[in-house]
Amino acid sequence: RSRSSKGPKGRRKPGVKLGRGRGRGGKNRSGRGRGGRGRDVSKADARRAMQKWSESEKQIYVARFEHVGKDWARLAEEIPNKTVSQIKNFYQNYKTRFGLDKIAAKLAGRSQ
């Protein structure tokens, strides 16, 4: 007979662990959600509608990236209507196509 976690009336049996952790079904929770962690933009910026990057915005990004590198906040100030998260995502998506990874490596070598 398999060992279930529920008794005959659907209540949890004492002493039966569920998954890993503290008997919460394998979820390691501290009572808080993950919603607010790791955000680096204000709520107004977070609610900004998604929009495609125009060619001029891409050109501005590459030109300014050559000067400021991975200073995401400064890049976001220079490109209107783009959040810090959108700036970071652009880097991740286009770093090889536009050679941004090589530019960043050159800037890192120059600063050392």
Side-chain angles (χ1 to χ4, degrees):
R1 190 170 144 177
S2 69
R3 182 176 162 184
S4 76
S5 63
K6 304 268 181 168
K9 294 186 179 180
R11 287 186 229 124
R12 189 173 291 156
K13 291 181 188 176
V16 177
K17 296 272 185 185
L18 296 176
R20 300 186 320 235
R22 303 200 173 264
R24 287 187 167 92
K27 306 232 183 333
N28 198 2
R29 298 184 188 169
S30 63
R32 282 186 250 146
R34 292 193 46 120
R37 266 184 255 157
R39 288 209 180 136
D40 53 320
V41 293
S42 69
K43 286 188 177 185
D45 288 341
R47 290 193 173 98
R48 202 173 283 170
M50 280 296 292
Q51 46 190 272
K52 291 195 170 202
W53 284 71
S54 67
E55 289 301 316
S56 63
E57 287 173 332
K58 290 178 184 178
Q59 291 172 354
I60 292 169
Y61 185 98
V62 174
R64 294 307 305 153
F65 188 83
E66 290 174 350
H67 296 287
V68 299
K70 292 184 181 181
D71 187 354
W72 308 125
R74 209 154 145 203
L75 281 168
E77 289 173 4
E78 309 244 354
I79 302 172
N81 302 323
K82 297 297 177 191
T83 64
V84 173
S85 295
Q86 289 171 324
I87 297 289
K88 289 180 186 178
N89 287 336
F90 184 88
Y91 174 79
Q92 289 299 322
N93 293 331
Y94 292 98
K95 62 184 170 187
T96 53
R97 187 181 299 178
F98 291 123
L100 299 174
D101 50 352
K102 293 177 184 172
I103 295 169
K106 190 182 348 174
L107 289 172
R110 192 184 317 164
S111 66
Q112 290 177 355

